[in-house]
Amino acid sequence: APGLIGHLSRLRHALMEPAHHRPAAWLLTLANWALKLAAGAGLLSAITGADWVHAWAGALGGELAAIVPLQGPAGFGTYEAGVWVGMATGIGNGLSATSPALSQAISAALALHLCFLLCAVLAGLVALWLSRTTGKASVCVSTSGPGATNFVTCIADAKMDSIPIIAITGQVSTPVIGTDAFQETPIVEVCRAVTKHHYLITKTEDIPRVMKEAFHLAVTGRPGPIVIDVPKDVQNRVIVPDYDPPMNLPGYKPDRRATRAELDQVLQMMKASSKPVIYAGGGIIHSGASEALRAFAEKTGIPVAMTLHGLGGFPHDHYLSLGMLGMHGTIYSNYAVNDADLLLAFGVRFDDRVTGKLSEFVKHGKIVHIDIDPSELNKNKKAHVAIHADIGQALTDLNRMIDQR
């Protein structure tokens, strides 16, 4: 028990180290909860012979941190669980809420780091947290029916917050789909409105193509969750696969660069403005545009107000930072936006927690909206200039154009 608590304590400190960007506060909270839970007799009594085969040192470099023999509930026997604390592949992380055999199969086939969890909801949440922190796609796997429906909250959260997760769910065999078979749930239909894309695989030969497309869709353009529903008979068939098939995504063009004419229009509006304000959202972080935003703000002297998901995209202690905007933001950021004659909305969706009554938001000013998701343009608030483009590339080009003038 003392050894386990010590390892969990080191995990807490490891989470405080910089990775892709500073870990979110709730991950630190999670580690603290793990410490408290480990101190309880209920959890410790379920752990037998904690034989840690790797040290935590170097774990953030992408090692499988530990193999922990765990005693499962009565009748379920003993299994081994991999504890993830790093990132080894470009694909992401595997979080399994299914059988140990499936965990081992996926681990061997895809070289993913796996964390075996008894709760499908927790598997989905941990995948969500990992992707939110690293910016890379994470995988959660669950059985059909109640296991799949336990992912719904995590998938909806990922859709709203633009988080790339891959949720792989089991399904009944294809001949009995639609017959209300045991543990049958039409998870694709259940999640249709809260996914970026979804698949019901009906042929085993399609699995490599679907997996390749799913990871591409999850992390390109505006990131989001992908659901892959795999029937039992599709899983059990043995084939000789093509591991690198061509993707079939007609019409999907996730990357667009703003034209010089579009950006010239933005610069002309900035020149005519006397009280501009930058309204920066989560798109700044997703596109890796933090440095470009800082350079743009310093070149122009325009203050920056951030959304909740935009926090961290601009230094909070910077002299041009107005802090968070909206219902729970600072009073001066809200006054600044209310009085602005030009609002530069970068990677935002005009959420009601920010805008309040839409008809009163920036009532007397003009709006420039740049976003990678064209469906967000003019959706909640009509923009005077709406540009479908990657905000990181747009800011880089704007900075170059300002330097040339």
Side-chain angles (χ1 to χ4, degrees), residues 261-276:
E262 290 172 328
L263 298 180
D264 265 328
Q265 194 175 3
V266 175
L267 292 178
Q268 289 299 324
M269 294 180 70
M270 289 168 52
K271 186 177 180 180
S273 169
S274 60
K275 293 185 293 183

Side-chain angles (χ1 to χ4, degrees), residues 95-98 102 106 120 123 139-143 151 166-169:
L95 297 142
S96 174
T98 55
L102 179 58
I106 297 176
V139 180
C140 49
V141 186
S142 179
T143 185
F151 279 163
I166 311 292
I168 302 174
T169 59

Side-chain angles (χ1 to χ4, degrees), residues 387-404:
I387 301 174
H388 170 214
D390 178 81
I391 187 58
Q393 293 177 343
L395 283 170
T396 300
D397 291 343
L398 281 169
N399 288 333
R400 187 180 300 113
M401 292 169 68
I402 290 171
D403 290 338
Q404 291 171 355

Side-chain angles (χ1 to χ4, degrees), residues 56 217 354:
W56 288 107
L217 289 167
V354 168

Side-chain angles (χ1 to χ4, degrees), residues 93 196 270 320:
N93 318 290
K196 183 177 180 181
M270 289 168 52
L320 288 171

Side-chain angles (χ1 to χ4, degrees), residues 94-333:
L95 297 142
S96 174
T98 55
S99 69
L102 179 58
S103 297
Q104 293 168 8
I106 297 176
S107 181
L110 299 180
L112 296 180
H113 287 281
L114 297 180
C115 178
F116 184 85
L117 303 168
L118 292 177
C119 175
V121 175
L122 185 56
L125 287 173
V126 173
L128 188 67
W129 294 332
L130 289 173
S131 291
R132 190 187 297 272
T133 304
T134 64
K136 297 184 179 181
S138 291
V139 180
C140 49
V141 186
S142 179
T143 185
S144 63
T149 55
N150 279 341
F151 279 163
V152 174
T153 298
C154 311
I155 293 168
D157 193 0
K159 178 65 164 59
M160 294 298 292
D161 294 349
S162 305
I163 306 300
I165 66 171
I166 311 292
I168 302 174
T169 59
Q171 184 56 274
V172 299
S173 295
T174 51
V176 295
I177 290 178
T179 65
D180 294 330
F182 175 68
Q183 285 200 183
E184 179 190 359
T185 300
I187 195 62
V188 167
E189 281 69 29
V190 169
C191 296
R192 189 178 298 275
V194 291
T195 56
K196 183 177 180 181
H197 199 52
H198 38 263
Y199 294 91
L200 172 60
I201 301 179
T202 57
K203 295 195 303 181
T204 307
E205 291 80 3
D206 289 339
I207 291 177
R209 175 185 59 81
V210 168
M211 293 297 175
K212 185 177 180 180
E213 291 178 4
F215 281 99
H216 177 69
L217 289 167
V219 299
T220 54
R222 180 180 180 179
I226 310 295
V227 167
I228 303 174
D229 202 23
V230 191
K232 182 180 178 182
D233 57 327
V234 173
Q235 298 177 36
N236 289 338
R237 281 192 60 218
V238 177
I239 64 168
V240 178
D242 175 5
Y243 284 111
D244 191 22
M247 293 189 291
N248 182 24
L249 297 171
Y252 181 65
K253 299 177 180 178
D255 300 318
R256 183 186 184 274
R257 199 178 197 109
T259 65
R260 187 176 184 88
E262 290 172 328
L263 298 180
D264 265 328
Q265 194 175 3
V266 175
L267 292 178
Q268 289 299 324
M269 294 180 70
M270 289 168 52
K271 186 177 180 180
S273 169
S274 60
K275 293 185 293 183
V277 173
I278 295 171
Y279 163 30
I284 295 294
I285 294 175
H286 288 304
S287 65
S290 299
E291 289 303 318
L293 175 61
R294 179 172 181 166
F296 178 78
E298 290 175 348
K299 290 176 188 293
T300 60
I302 301 176
V304 180
M306 293 161 281
T307 66
L308 176 64
H309 291 291
L311 293 176
F314 190 79
H316 188 75
D317 57 355
H318 195 279
Y319 70 95
L320 288 171
S321 174
L322 295 173
M324 193 169 81
L325 175 67
M327 178 184 292
H328 305 290
T330 62
I331 189 170
Y332 42 85
S333 66

